[in-house]
Amino acid sequence: MLSRIILASTIVTVVLVVWLVARADGERVFYMDLGRRLDERDRARVRRVQGVTLASALVGVAAAAFAPLPAAVLVATLLPFAPIAWLLVEVVGAVKSAKPAEASLRFRVPLTEPPPAKQYVSLPLQIAHGALIALSAAAFVFVRGQLPVLVPLHFDAAGRPNRWGSPDELWALGGIMLFCWALCWFLVVGVARERWALPTAHTEAYARASRRRRELLVRMIEVLMLCVNAAVAVSWLGIAIGSLPGWSHLLGITVAVALVLSAGGAVGSLVAFLAPLAAVQRQLSALGGVALGTRRDGWRWGGMIYYAPDDPALFIPKRLGIGQTFNFARPAAWLILVLLVVVPIGLAFTSMLLSRR
Amino acid sequence: MLTIEVDFGSARPVYRQIAEQVRGLIARGDLSDGAELPSVRQLAANVGVNLNTVAKAYRILADEGLVDLRHGSRARVLGGARARAPEVEGLERELGDVISRLVLQGRGREEVSAFFETALERFFER
């Protein structure tokens, strides 16, 4: 029963995330400012995404409830890709029809150093994050001596262990927590180091809105990463304690709680931050444009990619949507992208190699 | 917030735009003696230009005695009092060029004079 609930909640989480993004509101569709009034085609795009999302939810929940478990696992693994892929197709379609206002070639820049990254972060959230990692590691050290020679290390989509190995391999989860915290700080620094270009009129109001946008982005990243790490901590300690004699019933609950925490983090951060971020983006657009100071000819593929060799900036605010993109003319952008892919794969690969010893 | 304006659509090179505006801020007293300018890297990142462009602007200001450039530390304003006396002939030539342009636009002596009056008022009002 628990495994079927876990399968259903996996699908429902993805569906909820896509449903939250699939919106047409005023001049924004999928939370993107297309620089023109929305028309019937845009609303049709949203309806199509909602239709596919709803159908995926119904089929997924029905499969999780009634299909034989192997089939339900297959559905839970593959079905979430359907609404995501459909959303991406519709987003690309909408971007192609965008008519964003050209960024002004005239702008102001402050002669004072911009606020450093630490001014955007929430101290209580960072303390909680650090304490979560430290306490998880301390708790694992405490139970490590009592663990059996073999502990479950991998679970199938139904939450049943399908690979066993040395308890020391569980330190990889501590590594993942540190990586997530480092990633959180990297993203925060990226937001803080964005270009401070201001319009020639309403300069102070724009600066305030720009700071508010950065604060909201940072808070969203902090909340999301803390929830992800809380899920990893629950998995780490749940697996360890669930491996002790008489505590095996904890394993299934651990998977469920970890799933709820990560899903809650993803959905919760979107619910809490998307609307205020959209509002502040609207304010910035009205005051002088979000991507002020960027090169007009740097925006490629309808404004989805920024490639400007003569622009030294690495972190660029998205021209249409919420968040940031890279200046792909900077080698550092490619290096960071590779690192973000290589480090998680490296952690997984190391864990696999250790388990074969 | 103290800011400078850059215009990528202007024919004036960006380094001159930066130097002129920082000079203006010093002249008006907005940047006082000892005030630190942003690092070359930071200003270049905000303006969106090569480091050399900002370094060139700072060098011009340093050559005029307005800014102190020391290796490893941020550029510091020295203050108008220490500025080297500008070449009067050069300034007259630049002013003459401005007057020529105004006359070529069809403005008479009084209109040119009014233009300078307005510019002076704006400068000291800011």
Side-chain angles (χ1 to χ4, degrees):
Chain A
M1 182 62 185
L2 185 64
S3 58
R4 289 186 182 276
I5 293 171
I6 291 169
L7 290 176
S9 58
T10 310
I11 296 161
V12 170
T13 304
V14 175
V15 160
L16 268 176
V17 169
V18 176
W19 189 271
L20 282 168
V21 178
R23 290 181 76 90
D25 174 26
E27 290 187 352
R28 301 179 84 88
V29 62
F30 304 125
Y31 287 95
M32 294 187 302
D33 183 0
L34 300 181
R36 59 169 175 76
R37 291 198 70 77
L38 298 191
D39 55 26
E40 191 46 40
R41 285 178 308 164
D42 300 309
R43 281 181 272 277
R45 287 184 193 286
V46 171
R47 281 198 298 272
R48 282 197 294 272
V49 173
Q50 287 175 335
V52 171
T53 308
L54 203 60
S56 304
L58 290 173
V59 172
V61 172
F66 304 113
L69 207 54
V73 169
L74 193 69
V75 169
T77 312
L78 296 179
L79 202 63
F81 288 105
I84 293 171
W86 199 281
L87 175 70
L88 284 176
V89 168
E90 297 291 3
V91 164
V92 170
V95 166
K96 278 184 181 169
S97 68
K99 288 178 183 148
E102 294 284 8
S104 174
L105 296 174
R106 250 179 83 204
F107 55 91
R108 305 191 75 86
V109 291
L111 276 185
T112 43
E113 291 282 337
K118 64 180 181 188
Q119 279 199 19
Y120 294 105
V121 297
S122 151
L123 192 61
L125 281 178
Q126 289 302 326
I127 289 173
H129 210 146
L132 179 71
I133 296 172
L135 289 175
S136 303
F140 182 69
V141 168
F142 183 71
V143 294
R144 171 67 187 87
Q146 303 160 52
L147 292 177
V149 179
L150 290 177
V151 294
L153 292 173
H154 197 266
F155 299 82
D156 62 16
R160 293 169 307 201
N162 59 4
R163 189 168 72 78
W164 300 73
S166 161
D168 283 332
E169 279 190 57
L170 289 174
W171 279 111
L173 290 165
I176 290 170
M177 288 181 83
L178 282 175
F179 174 75
C180 285
W181 201 19
L183 182 63
C184 173
W185 269 97
F186 170 75
L187 294 172
V188 168
V189 169
V191 171
R193 291 184 67 173
E194 232 180 41
R195 169 179 290 139
W196 267 98
L198 307 163
T200 49
H202 314 296
T203 308
E204 293 286 345
Y206 187 97
R208 278 195 300 275
S210 185
R211 202 185 152 112
R212 173 84 182 130
R213 172 184 164 274
R214 288 162 204 236
E215 278 169 0
L216 285 168
L217 277 174
V218 166
R219 204 67 72 244
M220 186 165 86
I221 292 164
E222 284 182 301
V223 170
L224 180 62
M225 286 308 198
L226 184 57
C227 288
V228 169
N229 260 350
V232 179
V234 166
S235 305
W236 190 9
L237 298 178
I239 293 169
I241 297 169
S243 306
L244 295 171
W247 289 88
S248 59
H249 60 281
L250 260 189
L251 288 173
I253 298 167
T254 295
V255 176
V257 172
L259 200 72
V260 167
L261 278 171
S262 50
V267 175
S269 57
L270 284 179
V271 169
F273 295 103
L274 266 187
L277 267 170
V280 83
Q281 295 263 115
R282 230 183 337 261
Q283 200 182 350
L284 286 169
S285 298
L287 290 171
V290 178
L292 205 58
T294 54
R295 302 287 190 275
R296 285 179 182 175
D297 56 0
W299 292 103
R300 316 274 171 98
W301 293 8
M304 283 190 290
I305 301 285
Y306 187 70
Y307 183 92
D310 59 339
D311 187 345
L314 176 62
F315 303 100
I316 302 290
K318 281 185 183 166
R319 190 162 67 152
L320 302 173
I322 289 170
Q324 287 187 308
T325 184
F326 282 123
N327 178 4
F328 285 98
R330 306 257 71 81
W334 293 100
L335 185 72
I336 291 163
L337 268 189
V338 168
L339 278 177
L340 288 180
V341 175
V342 166
V343 171
I345 291 175
L347 277 171
F349 192 68
T350 311
S351 161
M352 199 178 77
L353 279 181
L354 281 169
S355 68
R356 286 188 177 178
R357 274 199 319 195
Chain B
M1 189 193 317
L2 219 50
T3 60
I4 57 168
E5 190 176 311
V6 283
D7 185 357
F8 279 92
S10 163
R12 295 177 89 74
V14 174
Y15 73 88
R16 281 192 64 182
Q17 293 183 39
I18 295 171
E20 284 166 4
Q21 291 194 61
V22 173
R23 189 187 295 122
L25 289 169
I26 296 170
R28 278 192 289 271
D30 292 334
L31 276 173
S32 51
D33 196 358
E36 277 190 342
L37 294 178
S39 66
V40 170
R41 184 174 295 277
Q42 183 61 54
L43 192 55
N46 280 346
V47 177
V49 290
N50 194 287
L51 299 179
N52 293 331
T53 305
V54 176
K56 195 169 177 179
Y58 281 7
R59 264 201 307 278
I60 289 173
L61 295 167
D63 289 345
E64 291 173 6
L66 294 173
V67 161
D68 181 27
L69 292 181
R70 276 190 203 158
H71 190 70
S73 62
R74 301 241 303 265
R76 206 175 275 274
V77 173
L78 286 175
R82 298 189 208 173
R84 293 194 189 104
E87 293 172 31
V88 177
E89 271 183 34
L91 290 178
E92 266 184 17
R93 227 181 358 256
E94 280 180 35
L95 267 179
D97 186 45
V98 174
I99 295 166
S100 302
R101 289 189 205 182
L102 292 169
V103 170
L104 286 170
Q105 280 177 6
R107 300 187 199 212
R109 186 186 178 113
E110 281 183 13
E111 282 172 297
V112 171
S113 178
F115 177 89
F116 279 114
E117 272 301 322
T118 311
L120 274 171
E121 272 172 29
R122 278 196 193 142
F123 183 89
F124 286 108
E125 262 175 21
R126 270 187 223 166

